[in-house]
Amino acid sequence: KAGVTQTPRYLIKTRGQQVTLSCSPISGHRSVSWYQQTPGQGLQFLFEYFSETQRNKGNFPGRFSGRQFSNSRSEMNVSTLELGDSALYLCASSLVKGSNTGELFFGEGSRLTVL
Amino acid sequence: QKEVEQDPGPLSVPEGAIVSLNCTYSNSAFQYFMWYRQYSRKGPELLMYTYSSGNKEDGRFTAQVDKSSKYISLFIRDSQPSDSATYLCAPGDTGNQFYFGTGTSLTVIP
């Protein structure tokens, strides 16, 4: 069974640009969550999508947005990039059981560097 | 106060040692508890998933949850060099959101 796939794996942008990251969840998983990982802050929750709807959102500015498609694939977008946005962006998919998300299975991440 | 507190280490032990990794949390609503292992430049890999208080064992790994003291532990028996990684605890509530500790860096010396 294929795991969570994230693209691109590495990218370099300059301040003010925007970036779009993509995530393909494990087949059958309908929940996709996004996390930002930095050395000082650890993993911080960005948002979760389930059945094309944003179900939860973390404390990030509106420059961070996402969406989910009918095939459960998800994208996140960061506009007007700042130096502090440099991080590893991780996508996790899960098999929803009832109203609970269940275990999170992570991809390898997209490492963003903002210059 | 952070939702989850985890000693960042680094922790260095000899091969074969018993390792104890710990987290504390503040939200009494947390009912689901996960432990992840993350190798350098890789995504986190799920190790253990438990619900409510008690112990869960899987091979050399034992996860322990004490909800009364809001304390989570992961024990690794007979530690191996391949266990060298960062370990992340992640409690969650029923709202489908998990809160991650900053991780403890472990090195097992052959």
Side-chain angles (χ1 to χ4, degrees):
Chain A
K1 199 174 191 181
V4 178
T5 303
Q6 291 189 246
T7 57
R9 290 290 314 279
Y10 302 92
L11 64 166
I12 300 174
K13 294 286 187 178
T14 57
R15 278 183 302 173
Q17 287 187 309
Q18 74 162 11
V19 65
T20 299
L21 309 177
S22 180
C23 172
S24 292
I26 292 170
S27 178
H29 286 194
R30 293 166 59 196
S31 169
V32 174
S33 302
W34 288 90
Y35 289 81
Q36 180 195 67
Q37 187 176 32
T38 56
Q41 298 295 319
L43 271 86
Q44 295 189 87
F45 175 73
L46 282 156
F47 27 66
E48 184 216 4
Y49 286 87
F50 175 70
S51 293
E52 303 178 64
T53 300
Q54 188 181 86
R55 194 159 63 165
N56 283 298
K57 189 177 189 309
N59 294 322
F60 278 82
R63 299 186 297 108
F64 293 81
S65 63
R67 60 177 174 169
Q68 187 180 33
F69 302 96
S70 58
N71 61 357
S72 294
R73 190 178 70 84
S74 177
E75 289 181 348
M76 68 162 283
N77 183 276
V78 188
S79 62
T80 320
L81 284 166
E82 301 177 359
L83 296 177
D85 296 332
S86 294
L88 180 67
Y89 290 88
L90 290 159
C91 166
S93 76
S94 61
L95 183 64
V96 175
K97 302 170 184 175
S99 61
N100 300 316
T101 296
E103 304 98 309
L104 300 176
F105 294 90
F106 284 89
E108 297 291 321
S110 294
R111 186 166 297 279
L112 170 66
T113 302
V114 182
L115 302 176
Chain B
Q1 183 187 8
K2 283 189 174 181
E3 295 273 7
V4 183
E5 298 280 357
Q6 187 174 8
D7 186 339
L11 186 60
S12 184
V13 302
E15 183 175 352
I18 296 174
V19 177
S20 173
L21 303 167
N22 308 294
C23 289
T24 58
Y25 62 92
S26 57
N27 191 340
S28 58
F30 288 157
Q31 295 189 46
Y32 303 90
F33 304 90
M34 298 188 292
W35 280 96
Y36 284 86
R37 176 174 62 196
Q38 187 174 22
Y39 293 113
S40 180
R41 311 195 76 79
K42 296 284 189 181
E45 168 194 16
L46 180 66
L47 277 177
M48 303 283 279
Y49 178 78
T50 58
Y51 172 73
S52 197
S53 284
N55 293 356
K56 183 175 182 179
E57 188 174 320
D58 184 1
R60 296 184 296 111
F61 298 89
T62 299
Q64 194 172 77
V65 176
D66 183 347
K67 290 187 71 180
S68 62
S69 58
K70 299 189 183 68
Y71 198 80
I72 315 165
S73 299
L74 179 71
F75 299 97
I76 307 174
R77 291 184 299 281
D78 187 25
S79 56
Q80 301 295 308
S82 59
D83 295 329
S84 298
T86 296
Y87 289 81
L88 302 153
C89 64
D93 57 24
T94 56
N96 309 309
Q97 185 171 340
F98 293 91
Y99 300 83
F100 283 80
T102 51
T104 299
S105 176
L106 171 68
T107 300
V108 180
I109 303 167

